[in-house]
């Protein structure tokens, strides 16, 4: 009866303990779910905003800057006499310049030069009755008298077609003499098919689409040139693009829109991603976490049940053994328990012996580092401490998986061992942080070794083509009287400066 009471008391205590342990487990699980979900959304948005910005700058803004340079050159070289000479179909210097620009620069399709009396000439030569340049949609309005003006898409009469294939965009500029009197205008039709060729090799994340639209919603740049001037984006997309860049969700099309806008011309670059692809990425990690939590709870409940059974049995046998009770070989079972405990003790000693080596990277552990630094400080030996932190390691894990993250850690550690050891010691400080202890005072040697290490890992070509690995580093020299925490703090501050200077750099702490 007494044994039964003791077993019941232990079981109740065990149940309470497991329940108490379950509460923080569930709290951490809920917090992790919300945190991972939010991080995924932030990562998705940041990635798409950065992609839209970079692609817009490379594929759109770069060509607009080249067009601006052409007009600056023309503005400095064109004169009233040269313009009249060109309009009157006389061979002159301006004719050669215009011909060279149209034939050489791929984004220009044709040119038209006119005077204030609507006399004009095009290159290549095309004539149209009742054609007045000042009445055309591309001609600058009064408020756009100076500077470069981009038209909205319009049917080009000189192209002889009013269908979508005949639509174009014209960029033009008024011409002024030295007295700032307007004497004419020059305009170039843009070849949007050619300008869109820069988008053909662009790979949009999450199976999205990248395109550029004008103010009226017409698609003017697209990797698929068949869509140019033939498709339109909803005008609400243009209206929602109120900032220089940003993003929004369009409920009518169930698409996430990321944009980068331009002021002159008033174009907007869009990256469009389906809601399904967005949710697939956002929910992937939280869904996996739910599965893991569910499995853990099942295991948790099973363990609780098993522990109740086994603890009650063990307590009963221990109680009988203490009181000298020997029946049905129970003493032999306790001897087995004792033997297992003894063997575990031996194994524990062996584990402690090899605990100085990190299992994943093969370099020294944090405990071994603490012991070694304490030895150097106690012996008053001069030394330097370097703290390294892998750049963007969380993003590597999130993007490529923890298996790739482990491979990166092992490669960086292996490379460091080949360069640093055996003269100096490398340790894993925690997570993706590594530390090096340089015993001695030869700073230039230590810096060169770290720089060699940094450059070596940057040059590695990974199977994941977009994966780039680098580290930031802070170095500090130990001064007599300083504690271990003092020098760690100095090195960590230098590391912080290296991180906030752009990463992939080595900074030295000021003594």
């Amino acid at each position: 009866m007494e044994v039964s009471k003791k077993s019941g008391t232990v079981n109740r205590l065990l149940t309470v303990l497991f329940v108490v342990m379950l509460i923080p487990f569930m709290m951490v699980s809920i917090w992790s779910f919300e945190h991972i979900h939010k991080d995924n959304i932030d990562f998705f948005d940041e990635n798409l905003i950065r992609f839209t910005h970079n692609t817009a700058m490379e594929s759109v803004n770069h060509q607009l800057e080249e067009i601006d340079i052409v007009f600056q050159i023309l503005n400095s070289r064109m004169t009233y006499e040269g313009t009249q000479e060109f309009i009157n179909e006389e061979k002159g210097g301006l004719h050669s310049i215009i011909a060279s620009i149209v034939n050489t620069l791929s984004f220009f399709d044709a040119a038209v030069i006119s005077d204030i009396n609507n006399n004009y000439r095009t290159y290549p030569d095309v004539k149209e009755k009742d054609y007045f340049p000042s009445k055309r949609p591309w001609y600058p309005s009064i408020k756009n008298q100076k500077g470069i003006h981009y038209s909205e898409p319009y049917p080009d009469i000189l192209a002889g077609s009013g269908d979508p294939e005949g639509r174009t965009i014209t960029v033009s500029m008024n011409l002024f003499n030295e007295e700032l009197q307007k004497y004419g205008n020059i305009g170039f039709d843009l070849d949007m098919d050619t300008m869109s060729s820069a988008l053909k090799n662009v790979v949009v994340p999450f199976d999205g689409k990248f395109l550029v639209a004008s103010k009226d919603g017409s698609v003017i740049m697209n990797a698929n040139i068949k869509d140019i001037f033939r498709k339109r984006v909803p005008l609400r997309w243009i209206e929602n693009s109120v900032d220089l860049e940003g993003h929004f969700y369009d409920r009518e099309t169930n698409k996430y829109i990321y944009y980068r806008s331009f002021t002159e011309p008033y174009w907007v670059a869009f990256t469009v991603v389906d809601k399904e692809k967005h949710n697939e990425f956002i929910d992937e990690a939280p869904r996996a976490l739910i599965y893991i939590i569910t499995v853990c709870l099942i295991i948790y409940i099973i363990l609780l049940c098993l522990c109740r059974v086994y603890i009650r049995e063990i307590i009963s046998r221990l109680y009988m053994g203490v009181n000298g009770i020997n029946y049905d070989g129970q003493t032999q079972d306790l001897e087995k328990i004792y033997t297992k405990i003894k063997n575990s003790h031996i194994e524990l000693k062996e584990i402690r012996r090899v605990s100085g080596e990190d299992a994943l990277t093969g370099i020294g552990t944090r405990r071994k580092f603490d012991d070694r630094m304490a030895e150097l400080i106690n012996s008053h030996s001069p030394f330097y401490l370097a703290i390294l932190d892998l750049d963007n390691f969380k993003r590597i894990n999130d993007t490529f998986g923890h298996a790739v993250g482990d491979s990166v850690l092992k490669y960086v550690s292996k490379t460091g061992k080949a360069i640093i050891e055996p003269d100096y010691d490398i340790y894993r400080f925690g997570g993706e942080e590594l530390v090096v202890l340089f015993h001695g005072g030869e700073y230039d040697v230590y810096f060169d070794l770290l720089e060699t290490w940094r450059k070596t890992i940057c040059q590695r070509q990974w199977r994941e083509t977009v994966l780039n690995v680098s580290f930031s580093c802070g170095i500090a020299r130990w001064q007599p009287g300083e504690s271990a925490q003092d020098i760690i703090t100095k090195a960590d501050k230098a590391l912080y400066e290296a991180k906030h200077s752009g990463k992939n750099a080595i900074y030295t702490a000021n003594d």
Side-chain angles (χ1 to χ4, degrees):
M1 180 65 67
E2 188 176 355
V3 173
S4 177
K5 289 182 179 180
K6 291 182 180 292
S7 298
T9 301
V10 171
N11 284 331
R12 284 193 296 271
L13 291 175
L14 187 63
T15 301
V16 172
L17 178 62
F18 270 73
V19 171
V20 171
M21 292 175 59
L22 182 62
I23 293 174
F25 170 77
M26 294 305 299
M27 292 177 62
V28 171
S29 298
I30 294 171
W31 179 87
S32 299
F33 180 87
E34 295 295 331
H35 185 73
I36 291 174
H37 189 266
K38 182 180 181 301
D39 278 355
N40 280 2
I41 294 175
D42 292 342
F43 176 78
F44 189 96
D45 291 341
E46 290 173 5
N47 191 32
L48 268 297
I49 289 174
R50 183 171 57 254
F51 167 83
T52 305
H53 173 85
N54 293 340
T55 305
M57 291 297 100
E58 289 293 326
S59 303
V60 183
N61 193 66
H62 180 70
Q63 298 188 85
L64 296 180
E65 289 177 346
E66 291 184 358
I67 292 173
D68 186 71
I69 292 173
V70 171
F71 274 92
Q72 290 180 28
I73 295 173
L74 286 172
N75 190 45
S76 65
R77 295 188 178 183
M78 294 186 69
T79 63
Y80 172 78
E81 293 76 14
T83 301
Q84 292 299 318
E85 193 176 74
F86 180 86
I87 294 174
N88 294 327
E89 302 187 7
E90 300 177 16
K91 297 291 184 180
L94 182 58
H95 182 277
S96 300
I97 293 174
I98 299 300
S100 175
I101 290 175
V102 173
N103 295 327
T104 303
L105 301 179
S106 58
F107 42 71
F108 286 155
D109 197 27
V112 56
I113 297 179
S114 61
D115 61 18
I116 58 176
N117 297 316
N118 280 316
N119 299 311
Y120 74 95
R121 183 186 178 191
T122 67
Y123 183 88
D125 287 321
V126 177
K127 286 294 183 180
E128 179 73 23
K129 292 182 179 181
D130 299 326
Y131 182 83
F132 302 99
S134 62
K135 304 297 183 181
R136 299 304 299 145
W138 53 265
Y139 201 84
S141 61
I142 295 177
K143 66 179 181 180
N144 293 320
Q145 281 290 306
K146 294 186 178 181
I148 300 174
H149 170 70
Y150 287 80
S151 74
E152 292 298 311
Y154 71 98
D156 188 1
I157 294 177
L158 295 181
S161 175
D163 62 8
E165 293 187 9
R167 298 180 78 197
T168 188
I169 293 175
T170 299
V171 54
S172 61
M173 177 182 69
N174 285 332
L175 303 173
F176 297 87
N177 59 22
E178 294 180 355
E179 286 74 29
L180 299 181
Q181 294 179 335
K182 176 182 172 183
Y183 65 83
N185 178 276
I186 179 171
F188 289 94
D189 290 346
L190 297 180
D191 187 342
M192 303 311 296
D193 291 358
T194 302
M195 292 183 69
S196 297
S197 61
L199 302 177
K200 290 184 178 179
N201 297 323
V202 174
V203 179
V204 184
F206 308 107
D207 296 332
K209 295 181 180 179
F210 181 87
L211 56 90
V212 181
S214 62
K215 186 178 181 180
D216 66 356
S218 299
V219 174
I220 58 175
M221 290 182 65
N222 196 303
N224 183 2
I225 60 175
K226 294 182 179 179
D227 292 343
I228 296 175
F229 296 130
R230 293 179 175 85
K231 291 192 174 181
R232 305 171 68 88
V233 301
L235 285 177
R236 61 181 176 276
W237 290 12
I238 304 295
E239 295 168 356
N240 287 334
S241 305
V242 294
D243 298 319
L244 180 64
E245 57 186 23
H247 63 93
F248 56 88
Y249 173 66
D250 183 35
R251 296 183 180 277
E252 294 188 27
T253 58
N254 286 328
K255 296 183 184 298
Y256 286 85
I257 314 298
Y258 299 82
Y259 67 87
R260 206 290 182 184
S261 60
F262 299 87
T263 54
E264 182 57 46
Y266 189 69
W267 296 352
V268 184
F270 292 107
T271 300
V272 184
V273 180
D274 290 337
K275 179 182 179 181
E276 181 179 330
K277 292 294 181 181
H278 174 273
N279 292 347
E280 181 180 330
F281 175 81
I282 298 302
D283 297 336
E284 182 179 3
R287 189 183 300 114
L289 180 61
I290 290 175
Y291 293 151
I292 293 172
I293 292 173
T294 303
V295 172
C296 289
L297 286 174
I298 293 173
I299 295 175
Y300 190 88
I301 294 172
I302 293 173
L303 288 176
L304 175 61
C305 296
L306 290 176
C307 285
R308 290 178 57 125
V309 173
Y310 285 112
I311 289 294
R312 182 168 53 189
E313 183 69 17
I314 290 174
I315 291 298
S316 298
R317 294 186 180 185
L318 286 175
Y319 179 80
M320 293 178 183
V322 169
N323 289 275
I325 302 173
N326 183 12
Y327 71 100
D328 293 335
Q330 297 303 319
T331 303
Q332 183 179 359
D333 289 340
L334 292 175
E335 288 177 354
K336 289 181 180 179
I337 295 174
Y338 169 76
T339 302
K340 288 182 179 180
I341 294 174
K342 182 178 180 181
N343 292 338
S344 298
H345 184 67
I346 296 173
E347 291 176 0
L348 181 60
K349 286 185 176 180
E350 180 64 18
I351 290 172
R352 288 178 177 174
R353 185 183 67 82
V354 299
S355 63
E357 180 177 292
D358 183 68
L360 176 64
T361 60
I363 60 178
T365 62
R366 171 66 184 271
R367 180 176 179 179
K368 188 175 180 181
F369 160 75
D370 291 338
D371 293 341
R372 177 57 178 156
M373 189 159 64
E375 292 176 7
L376 292 172
I377 293 175
N378 292 335
S379 63
H380 302 284
S381 301
F383 69 95
Y384 281 80
L385 169 66
I387 300 180
L388 293 71
D389 185 83
L390 295 184
D391 297 329
N392 306 313
F393 189 73
K394 181 181 182 300
R395 185 171 298 169
I396 291 174
N397 278 331
D398 292 343
T399 305
F400 303 101
H402 289 279
V404 173
D406 289 346
S407 297
V408 168
L409 262 177
K410 288 190 283 188
Y411 169 74
V412 173
S413 301
K414 181 180 178 181
T415 303
K417 288 184 68 174
I419 295 172
I420 304 296
E421 294 183 356
D423 297 326
Y424 310 103
D425 304 316
I426 306 177
Y427 308 89
R428 187 175 181 184
F429 194 68
E432 69 273 19
E433 284 191 337
L434 310 179
V435 292
V436 184
L437 284 174
F438 296 103
H439 45 83
E442 299 175 350
Y443 169 80
D444 292 338
V445 174
Y446 311 148
F447 185 91
D448 289 341
L449 289 173
L450 292 170
E451 187 69 6
T452 300
W453 188 3
R454 184 187 66 82
K455 291 180 178 178
T456 300
I457 67 169
C458 287
Q459 295 169 357
R460 164 73 183 270
Q461 298 295 321
W462 294 85
R463 181 178 62 183
E464 296 77 9
T465 56
V466 296
L467 175 58
N468 296 309
V469 179
S470 63
F471 67 69
S472 301
C473 176
I475 312 174
R477 180 177 64 178
W478 178 75
Q479 300 285 1
E482 289 182 342
S483 66
Q485 187 57 47
D486 291 335
I487 187 172
I488 290 174
T489 300
K490 288 199 303 183
D492 199 55
K493 286 182 179 178
L495 171 61
Y496 179 84
E497 294 178 3
K499 284 285 187 182
H500 283 263
S501 70
K503 303 180 181 179
N504 194 19
I506 301 174
Y507 274 52
T508 305
N510 295 324
D511 292 329

